[in-house]
Amino acid sequence: MNLLRTTQDGDLGVRSAPERVVLGVRSGETPSPKPPVRIFLGTEPAQYKAERIFVWSIEQVRDPARVYEVHIMKELAGFRRLGWLTGFTNYRFAIPHFAGAEGRAIYNDVDQVYLRDPAELFDAEMNDHGILAISPGGRLDTSVMLLDCARMAGLWPLEEAKTRRKNGLIKRAKVAGVVGELAGLWNARDQEYRTGESGVLHYTTLQKQPWRPFPKRFVYQRNPVADVWLDLERQADAAGYQLYDWRRPSPYYSDLVEQARRAGNRPKNANGFAVPDELIAKTGAKSLLRYALGGGAANGATLYDPAVSAPPAEPSDGVLCGDGLETLPEAEAAWLVDQLFAQARRLLYVEIDEDKGAQPPRGQFWWFSLFQDCSARHSEVHWRLKLKCGGRELGRDGGPRLDGPPNIWVLDDGKAGHTTQSVGLADALGWPYEIKTLDVTFSKLAGVGCLFTGPLGATRAGTNVAKSDPLEAPWPDLVISTGWRPSPTTRWIGDQSRGHSRLVQMDRKGGRVVELFDALVACSYFGLPYHPRRVEITTPLNRASKQRLAEAAAQWQGLFEGMPGPHIAVLVGGPSRRHSFSPELAGRMGRELAAFAEAAGGSLFAVTSRRTGAAATEAFASGLRPVDKLYRWQDGAGDNPFMGCLALADLLVVTGESESMLSEAASTGKPIYIYPVPDKPPGLWGHVEDWVTAQAFQPRRNRRGTGRPQRGLARLCAKLVGRGLVQPRRDINLLHQILYDKDLARPFGQPLEIWSPEPLHEADVVAEELRRLLGLSRA
């Protein structure tokens, strides 16, 4: 949005006065004699998600016997916006005018939610003040105000609110002596929030607002109190709550319909719009409704044209929409698509042509995510989206399956740790899957491919196609891959399937840019930017499910036979890019573990890994006792007792550098001791990564004590991280601390103790979240 422009009446959605949303007395309640609670909300088009949850939050805490009026101040005409920080900065000073210079009014910024009844604030004692607001550090913060409109009308006349600077108008109020102190609970800013006490929670740090209103402007970070807002959104979704629908449309949409009505709204034909008969037959849709503003019917459907007819009284089996959505702003498209879902019992079929160019193109994943989000609220509706984007025709289905469960491809790049994660997720999803083996001979080319966000990044250039499993139609419904080597191939499959295949990427490097995939799964200790399509977990996923552990226990039931208890399984890793694991360290580890077991009267069964190496293995073995056992890893050797150790041991000792072994150990519900492995000093690029990450995400505060938005060097560094050109280094020590905090593990060196931690099974949680994100149902 251009902050320099002055909106005028006649522009679509522009108003000379705020839009009023009335929350009336609820059915069955005796109306309160108290006056309506008037709330004026400062907002702008990009904040449409926040507007909805702001009003919903009031609904959750308000007095059901009282009337509440929410006046939405957005795109108001005649305001000179030069120098405004937001698209609504000066609207607050026009409240006395819009309130008729009488009574009281509350002002709220849109980035807030109510946690207590706003009537408590509205009825508060003002002690003859014209304004109540907080004043941190002596600086008046007008983001929440209680106003005496009669008192303030002369100080803040409409014309000056439209043309003067914010600071000058605030100074005038302070000089006039009309400012009183507001209780801090009505403007709890981020870190000031207190559960059960705060009345208004204010998300002041722009790059930490969990609804991400400006994704092209900021690289978002996780907010410690994000769950308050996200829980409200989940409640609103479950209740099917929307600010707008066909009977109560937004001002923009009302203007659009009126414009079509004045133009005569001559119906067009439906050339090129025909819903596949097989889709109608499979969904059993009998009654069909076509929504079209100035369009014609198709497939014998009843036409609903809002410019010439009233909205339908009842939902139809199927709803069809063939044009127009691509011309709408994001806010309008969001509620209108949700309304299309709400009007369909079984089927929603939509065609969108982004290449018409009426709005800046949003790209396939924006549209796919919108439909998948709406589908989660209307899980009974099967939907199909046919999208023209960048000269290509793409398509995607979602909702209840019509042809059996989804089929999945798991890409195996030859790294066992990666394939284990992918297969673990596929197992948790519970749908048929096929493992596709890739020969990533030219892995450096694959690494280069990860850096490209355009078509050059969707490539098989890093793969030896002749030595890999064939990848060809019919394309899968879902592709799962882990790591950077198969990542370009994952995107290539999505490209070849023309959007049909949903793409799930796991690990850190392969999913550098979230917008290139439908969903990413990453660990919290990676330190990656926040994104709603990035599912964060504690440890990498693995195959150590309850079923596999039970099978391993049966297969290896004699593993510890004849060995004194407690039985201690030792999982030995090895050197990595970040960690040293010398034969000297391995020898010391063997001796210390033998002493650890000796002190407890128990015995060890140790298993080495691919990375351990022959020299370190023998050094480790030299420290063990005759009663202890060691399995030496060998490529192509017989059955590895690794899973049997997990299933049958009384406790586990794991070397600290191995994320995958720590993950598998945490899945068992057995006590874990983490044996420390020293970090290598970071190289030159490691120092660069650390410096850029620190500049990008270091907290900065302004003079009011609130978080400053990303700007200058901080914004540049954040963009480098957001585009994957620089990535935060994974913090293994943070992973250890998380496991300690969850009482899943303890540092090695403490006396042996047996406790009963809760098994960490995140695969099922991730699977459920992916079903929601991807618009795929169980049925």
Side-chain angles (χ1 to χ4, degrees), residues 163-197:
T163 57
R164 288 200 62 177
R165 299 293 297 271
K166 172 183 175 180
N167 289 341
L169 292 167
I170 290 176
K171 183 178 180 181
R172 177 183 290 179
K174 293 173 73 174
V175 169
V178 298
V179 179
E181 190 66 21
L182 179 67
L185 67 90
W186 293 113
N187 196 348
R189 302 167 305 166
D190 298 308
Q191 73 279 1
E192 299 166 349
Y193 167 71
R194 298 292 180 270
T195 304
E197 298 179 13

mmCIF file of all heavy atoms in Angstrom, residues 163-197:
data_model
loop_
_atom_site.group_PDB
_atom_site.id
_atom_site.type_symbol
_atom_site.label_atom_id
_atom_site.label_comp_id
_atom_site.label_asym_id
_atom_site.label_seq_id
_atom_site.Cartn_x
_atom_site.Cartn_y
_atom_site.Cartn_z
ATOM 1 N N THR A 163 -4.606 15.981 8.690
ATOM 2 C CA THR A 163 -3.454 16.646 8.073
ATOM 3 C C THR A 163 -2.246 16.817 8.986
ATOM 4 O O THR A 163 -1.124 16.937 8.506
ATOM 5 C CB THR A 163 -3.872 18.033 7.559
ATOM 6 O OG1 THR A 163 -4.411 18.807 8.646
ATOM 7 C CG2 THR A 163 -4.924 17.907 6.464
ATOM 8 N N ARG A 164 -2.433 16.866 10.305
ATOM 9 C CA ARG A 164 -1.315 17.151 11.206
ATOM 10 C C ARG A 164 -0.536 15.886 11.559
ATOM 11 O O ARG A 164 -1.010 14.761 11.379
ATOM 12 C CB ARG A 164 -1.818 17.827 12.486
ATOM 13 C CG ARG A 164 -2.258 19.265 12.279
ATOM 14 C CD ARG A 164 -2.275 20.027 13.594
ATOM 15 N NE ARG A 164 -0.927 20.099 14.195
ATOM 16 C CZ ARG A 164 -0.666 20.756 15.323
ATOM 17 N NH1 ARG A 164 -1.647 21.383 15.976
ATOM 18 N NH2 ARG A 164 0.549 20.782 15.815
ATOM 19 N N ARG A 165 0.650 16.073 12.113
ATOM 20 C CA ARG A 165 1.479 14.959 12.526
ATOM 21 C C ARG A 165 1.007 14.408 13.867
ATOM 22 O O ARG A 165 0.492 15.134 14.717
ATOM 23 C CB ARG A 165 2.943 15.398 12.640
ATOM 24 C CG ARG A 165 3.562 15.899 11.350
ATOM 25 C CD ARG A 165 3.689 14.775 10.321
ATOM 26 N NE ARG A 165 4.588 13.726 10.794
ATOM 27 C CZ ARG A 165 5.909 13.731 10.574
ATOM 28 N NH1 ARG A 165 6.468 14.736 9.902
ATOM 29 N NH2 ARG A 165 6.666 12.757 11.021
ATOM 30 N N LYS A 166 1.218 13.126 14.073
ATOM 31 C CA LYS A 166 0.784 12.437 15.283
ATOM 32 C C LYS A 166 1.364 13.080 16.539
ATOM 33 O O LYS A 166 0.633 13.346 17.500
ATOM 34 C CB LYS A 166 1.199 10.961 15.202
ATOM 35 C CG LYS A 166 0.972 10.163 16.471
ATOM 36 C CD LYS A 166 1.492 8.735 16.314
ATOM 37 C CE LYS A 166 1.375 7.962 17.621
ATOM 38 N NZ LYS A 166 1.880 6.574 17.491
ATOM 39 N N ASN A 167 2.673 13.338 16.542
ATOM 40 C CA ASN A 167 3.311 13.857 17.751
ATOM 41 C C ASN A 167 2.762 15.225 18.155
ATOM 42 O O ASN A 167 2.643 15.542 19.344
ATOM 43 C CB ASN A 167 4.827 13.930 17.562
ATOM 44 C CG ASN A 167 5.459 12.548 17.534
ATOM 45 O OD1 ASN A 167 4.859 11.573 17.983
ATOM 46 N ND2 ASN A 167 6.672 12.459 17.003
ATOM 47 N N GLY A 168 2.411 16.051 17.158
ATOM 48 C CA GLY A 168 1.847 17.358 17.460
ATOM 49 C C GLY A 168 0.489 17.263 18.129
ATOM 50 O O GLY A 168 0.183 18.024 19.070
ATOM 51 N N LEU A 169 -0.330 16.325 17.697
ATOM 52 C CA LEU A 169 -1.651 16.147 18.294
ATOM 53 C C LEU A 169 -1.546 15.564 19.702
ATOM 54 O O LEU A 169 -2.321 15.930 20.596
ATOM 55 C CB LEU A 169 -2.499 15.246 17.398
ATOM 56 C CG LEU A 169 -2.880 15.876 16.038
ATOM 57 C CD1 LEU A 169 -3.437 14.826 15.102
ATOM 58 C CD2 LEU A 169 -3.876 17.011 16.238
ATOM 59 N N ILE A 170 -0.601 14.663 19.911
ATOM 60 C CA ILE A 170 -0.387 14.123 21.259
ATOM 61 C C ILE A 170 0.101 15.238 22.189
ATOM 62 O O ILE A 170 -0.364 15.364 23.340
ATOM 63 C CB ILE A 170 0.628 12.967 21.215
ATOM 64 C CG1 ILE A 170 0.009 11.745 20.516
ATOM 65 C CG2 ILE A 170 1.084 12.588 22.613
ATOM 66 C CD1 ILE A 170 0.961 10.588 20.326
ATOM 67 N N LYS A 171 1.030 16.058 21.706
ATOM 68 C CA LYS A 171 1.564 17.147 22.526
ATOM 69 C C LYS A 171 0.460 18.120 22.934
ATOM 70 O O LYS A 171 0.416 18.600 24.075
ATOM 71 C CB LYS A 171 2.667 17.879 21.766
ATOM 72 C CG LYS A 171 3.335 18.985 22.572
ATOM 73 C CD LYS A 171 4.453 19.625 21.772
ATOM 74 C CE LYS A 171 5.123 20.733 22.584
ATOM 75 N NZ LYS A 171 6.218 21.388 21.803
ATOM 76 N N ARG A 172 -0.469 18.390 22.023
ATOM 77 C CA ARG A 172 -1.565 19.306 22.331
ATOM 78 C C ARG A 172 -2.395 18.769 23.496
ATOM 79 O O ARG A 172 -2.790 19.527 24.396
ATOM 80 C CB ARG A 172 -2.452 19.497 21.106
ATOM 81 C CG ARG A 172 -3.661 20.390 21.370
ATOM 82 C CD ARG A 172 -4.552 20.495 20.156
ATOM 83 N NE ARG A 172 -3.906 21.262 19.090
ATOM 84 C CZ ARG A 172 -4.470 21.495 17.900
ATOM 85 N NH1 ARG A 172 -5.673 21.014 17.649
ATOM 86 N NH2 ARG A 172 -3.844 22.190 16.990
ATOM 87 N N ALA A 173 -2.647 17.461 23.509
ATOM 88 C CA ALA A 173 -3.426 16.869 24.597
ATOM 89 C C ALA A 173 -2.666 16.943 25.916
ATOM 90 O O ALA A 173 -3.246 17.229 26.970
ATOM 91 C CB ALA A 173 -3.767 15.415 24.262
ATOM 92 N N LYS A 174 -1.367 16.726 25.875
ATOM 93 C CA LYS A 174 -0.567 16.768 27.107
ATOM 94 C C LYS A 174 -0.499 18.191 27.664
ATOM 95 O O LYS A 174 -0.611 18.402 28.874
ATOM 96 C CB LYS A 174 0.833 16.221 26.829
ATOM 97 C CG LYS A 174 0.836 14.731 26.492
ATOM 98 C CD LYS A 174 2.197 14.231 26.051
ATOM 99 C CE LYS A 174 3.153 14.130 27.212
ATOM 100 N NZ LYS A 174 4.436 13.512 26.814
ATOM 101 N N VAL A 175 -0.318 19.166 26.772
ATOM 102 C CA VAL A 175 -0.252 20.560 27.208
ATOM 103 C C VAL A 175 -1.577 20.987 27.828
ATOM 104 O O VAL A 175 -1.615 21.754 28.811
ATOM 105 C CB VAL A 175 0.131 21.472 26.034
ATOM 106 C CG1 VAL A 175 -0.055 22.944 26.406
ATOM 107 C CG2 VAL A 175 1.564 21.208 25.589
ATOM 108 N N ALA A 176 -2.680 20.488 27.284
ATOM 109 C CA ALA A 176 -4.003 20.842 27.800
ATOM 110 C C ALA A 176 -4.291 20.183 29.149
ATOM 111 O O ALA A 176 -5.302 20.505 29.792
ATOM 112 C CB ALA A 176 -5.071 20.445 26.783
ATOM 113 N N GLY A 177 -3.433 19.260 29.567
ATOM 114 C CA GLY A 177 -3.596 18.633 30.878
ATOM 115 C C GLY A 177 -4.756 17.680 30.977
ATOM 116 O O GLY A 177 -5.328 17.510 32.065
ATOM 117 N N VAL A 178 -5.121 17.035 29.860
ATOM 118 C CA VAL A 178 -6.290 16.160 29.866
ATOM 119 C C VAL A 178 -5.915 14.681 29.907
ATOM 120 O O VAL A 178 -6.783 13.817 29.825
ATOM 121 C CB VAL A 178 -7.172 16.424 28.622
ATOM 122 C CG1 VAL A 178 -7.695 17.847 28.632
ATOM 123 C CG2 VAL A 178 -6.409 16.124 27.332
ATOM 124 N N VAL A 179 -4.625 14.385 30.052
ATOM 125 C CA VAL A 179 -4.162 12.998 29.958
ATOM 126 C C VAL A 179 -4.059 12.388 31.353
ATOM 127 O O VAL A 179 -3.400 12.947 32.241
ATOM 128 C CB VAL A 179 -2.806 12.917 29.248
ATOM 129 C CG1 VAL A 179 -2.331 11.463 29.186
ATOM 130 C CG2 VAL A 179 -2.906 13.502 27.844
ATOM 131 N N GLY A 180 -4.686 11.239 31.550
ATOM 132 C CA GLY A 180 -4.574 10.481 32.786
ATOM 133 C C GLY A 180 -3.948 9.121 32.524
ATOM 134 O O GLY A 180 -3.865 8.662 31.369
ATOM 135 N N GLU A 181 -3.513 8.458 33.581
ATOM 136 C CA GLU A 181 -2.800 7.187 33.441
ATOM 137 C C GLU A 181 -3.784 6.022 33.388
ATOM 138 O O GLU A 181 -4.681 5.900 34.230
ATOM 139 C CB GLU A 181 -1.828 6.999 34.602
ATOM 140 C CG GLU A 181 -0.880 5.830 34.429
ATOM 141 C CD GLU A 181 0.104 6.019 33.279
ATOM 142 O OE1 GLU A 181 0.345 7.177 32.868
ATOM 143 O OE2 GLU A 181 0.639 5.000 32.798
ATOM 144 N N LEU A 182 -3.588 5.181 32.401
ATOM 145 C CA LEU A 182 -4.397 3.975 32.224
ATOM 146 C C LEU A 182 -3.708 2.810 32.926
ATOM 147 O O LEU A 182 -2.481 2.665 32.862
ATOM 148 C CB LEU A 182 -4.551 3.665 30.730
ATOM 149 C CG LEU A 182 -5.352 2.414 30.342
ATOM 150 C CD1 LEU A 182 -6.822 2.584 30.705
ATOM 151 C CD2 LEU A 182 -5.209 2.127 28.842
ATOM 152 N N ALA A 183 -4.479 1.959 33.555
ATOM 153 C CA ALA A 183 -3.917 0.768 34.200
ATOM 154 C C ALA A 183 -3.207 -0.097 33.161
ATOM 155 O O ALA A 183 -3.740 -0.367 32.074
ATOM 156 C CB ALA A 183 -5.021 -0.033 34.888
ATOM 157 N N GLY A 184 -2.001 -0.540 33.493
ATOM 158 C CA GLY A 184 -1.183 -1.274 32.531
ATOM 159 C C GLY A 184 -1.791 -2.555 32.033
ATOM 160 O O GLY A 184 -1.441 -3.029 30.940
ATOM 161 N N LEU A 185 -2.723 -3.133 32.759
ATOM 162 C CA LEU A 185 -3.325 -4.392 32.316
ATOM 163 C C LEU A 185 -4.106 -4.228 31.021
ATOM 164 O O LEU A 185 -4.380 -5.210 30.324
ATOM 165 C CB LEU A 185 -4.215 -4.975 33.411
ATOM 166 C CG LEU A 185 -5.503 -4.229 33.816
ATOM 167 C CD1 LEU A 185 -6.696 -4.694 32.992
ATOM 168 C CD2 LEU A 185 -5.790 -4.421 35.297
ATOM 169 N N TRP A 186 -4.480 -2.973 30.671
ATOM 170 C CA TRP A 186 -5.245 -2.739 29.438
ATOM 171 C C TRP A 186 -4.341 -2.476 28.238
ATOM 172 O O TRP A 186 -4.834 -2.201 27.149
ATOM 173 C CB TRP A 186 -6.218 -1.570 29.629
ATOM 174 C CG TRP A 186 -7.290 -1.893 30.614
ATOM 175 C CD1 TRP A 186 -7.482 -1.335 31.849
ATOM 176 C CD2 TRP A 186 -8.315 -2.885 30.465
ATOM 177 N NE1 TRP A 186 -8.549 -1.919 32.478
ATOM 178 C CE2 TRP A 186 -9.089 -2.869 31.645
ATOM 179 C CE3 TRP A 186 -8.648 -3.781 29.448
ATOM 180 C CZ2 TRP A 186 -10.170 -3.718 31.834
ATOM 181 C CZ3 TRP A 186 -9.734 -4.622 29.640
ATOM 182 C CH2 TRP A 186 -10.483 -4.594 30.813
ATOM 183 N N ASN A 187 -3.042 -2.560 28.414
ATOM 184 C CA ASN A 187 -2.122 -2.473 27.280
ATOM 185 C C ASN A 187 -0.846 -3.226 27.645
ATOM 186 O O ASN A 187 0.220 -2.649 27.793
ATOM 187 C CB ASN A 187 -1.803 -1.010 26.942
ATOM 188 C CG ASN A 187 -1.167 -0.854 25.561
ATOM 189 O OD1 ASN A 187 -0.766 -1.846 24.936
ATOM 190 N ND2 ASN A 187 -1.071 0.374 25.081
ATOM 191 N N ALA A 188 -0.995 -4.553 27.802
ATOM 192 C CA ALA A 188 0.138 -5.416 28.139
ATOM 193 C C ALA A 188 0.892 -5.734 26.855
ATOM 194 O O ALA A 188 0.400 -6.473 26.003
ATOM 195 C CB ALA A 188 -0.353 -6.690 28.809
ATOM 196 N N ARG A 189 2.071 -5.181 26.726
ATOM 197 C CA ARG A 189 2.822 -5.265 25.481
ATOM 198 C C ARG A 189 3.792 -6.452 25.524
ATOM 199 O O ARG A 189 4.765 -6.434 26.263
ATOM 200 C CB ARG A 189 3.572 -3.958 25.239
ATOM 201 C CG ARG A 189 2.636 -2.742 25.186
ATOM 202 C CD ARG A 189 3.372 -1.435 25.265
ATOM 203 N NE ARG A 189 4.225 -1.375 26.452
ATOM 204 C CZ ARG A 189 5.169 -0.466 26.639
ATOM 205 N NH1 ARG A 189 5.378 0.457 25.720
ATOM 206 N NH2 ARG A 189 5.898 -0.475 27.731
ATOM 207 N N ASP A 190 3.498 -7.462 24.709
ATOM 208 C CA ASP A 190 4.360 -8.639 24.559
ATOM 209 C C ASP A 190 4.808 -9.198 25.909
ATOM 210 O O ASP A 190 4.068 -9.899 26.578
ATOM 211 C CB ASP A 190 5.569 -8.298 23.675
ATOM 212 C CG ASP A 190 5.164 -7.886 22.273
ATOM 213 O OD1 ASP A 190 4.414 -8.627 21.642
ATOM 214 O OD2 ASP A 190 5.578 -6.798 21.830
ATOM 215 N N GLN A 191 6.027 -8.867 26.312
ATOM 216 C CA GLN A 191 6.619 -9.464 27.516
ATOM 217 C C GLN A 191 5.916 -9.036 28.797
ATOM 218 O O GLN A 191 6.147 -9.627 29.861
ATOM 219 C CB GLN A 191 8.116 -9.111 27.606
ATOM 220 C CG GLN A 191 8.426 -7.678 27.984
ATOM 221 C CD GLN A 191 8.324 -6.701 26.820
ATOM 222 O OE1 GLN A 191 8.001 -7.103 25.704
ATOM 223 N NE2 GLN A 191 8.617 -5.438 27.080
ATOM 224 N N GLU A 192 5.035 -8.023 28.736
ATOM 225 C CA GLU A 192 4.304 -7.584 29.927
ATOM 226 C C GLU A 192 3.068 -8.440 30.203
ATOM 227 O O GLU A 192 2.421 -8.286 31.241
ATOM 228 C CB GLU A 192 3.879 -6.122 29.767
ATOM 229 C CG GLU A 192 5.053 -5.158 29.614
ATOM 230 C CD GLU A 192 4.612 -3.781 29.129
ATOM 231 O OE1 GLU A 192 3.440 -3.642 28.707
ATOM 232 O OE2 GLU A 192 5.445 -2.857 29.160
ATOM 233 N N TYR A 193 2.726 -9.316 29.284
ATOM 234 C CA TYR A 193 1.523 -10.142 29.424
ATOM 235 C C TYR A 193 1.609 -11.046 30.654
ATOM 236 O O TYR A 193 2.633 -11.685 30.905
ATOM 237 C CB TYR A 193 1.329 -10.992 28.165
ATOM 238 C CG TYR A 193 0.316 -12.096 28.328
ATOM 239 C CD1 TYR A 193 -1.040 -11.817 28.430
ATOM 240 C CD2 TYR A 193 0.728 -13.431 28.375
ATOM 241 C CE1 TYR A 193 -1.965 -12.839 28.581
ATOM 242 C CE2 TYR A 193 -0.192 -14.457 28.519
ATOM 243 C CZ TYR A 193 -1.537 -14.154 28.626
ATOM 244 O OH TYR A 193 -2.447 -15.160 28.773
ATOM 245 N N ARG A 194 0.518 -11.088 31.433
ATOM 246 C CA ARG A 194 0.413 -11.964 32.584
ATOM 247 C C ARG A 194 -0.882 -12.767 32.477
ATOM 248 O O ARG A 194 -1.975 -12.186 32.433
ATOM 249 C CB ARG A 194 0.420 -11.150 33.895
ATOM 250 C CG ARG A 194 1.697 -10.357 34.128
ATOM 251 C CD ARG A 194 2.901 -11.256 34.395
ATOM 252 N NE ARG A 194 4.115 -10.475 34.616
ATOM 253 C CZ ARG A 194 4.960 -10.100 33.645
ATOM 254 N NH1 ARG A 194 4.715 -10.449 32.394
ATOM 255 N NH2 ARG A 194 6.037 -9.413 33.939
ATOM 256 N N THR A 195 -0.748 -14.073 32.451
ATOM 257 C CA THR A 195 -1.910 -14.951 32.325
ATOM 258 C C THR A 195 -2.895 -14.701 33.461
ATOM 259 O O THR A 195 -2.507 -14.672 34.632
ATOM 260 C CB THR A 195 -1.461 -16.424 32.348
ATOM 261 O OG1 THR A 195 -0.501 -16.642 31.323
ATOM 262 C CG2 THR A 195 -2.652 -17.350 32.136
ATOM 263 N N GLY A 196 -4.152 -14.503 33.111
ATOM 264 C CA GLY A 196 -5.194 -14.302 34.097
ATOM 265 C C GLY A 196 -5.304 -12.884 34.624
ATOM 266 O O GLY A 196 -6.244 -12.570 35.361
ATOM 267 N N GLU A 197 -4.357 -12.010 34.277
ATOM 268 C CA GLU A 197 -4.379 -10.633 34.757
ATOM 269 C C GLU A 197 -4.587 -9.637 33.624
ATOM 270 O O GLU A 197 -5.381 -8.709 33.757
ATOM 271 C CB GLU A 197 -3.069 -10.309 35.485
ATOM 272 C CG GLU A 197 -2.806 -11.153 36.716
ATOM 273 C CD GLU A 197 -1.485 -10.801 37.371
ATOM 274 O OE1 GLU A 197 -0.910 -9.742 37.020
ATOM 275 O OE2 GLU A 197 -1.009 -11.583 38.215
#
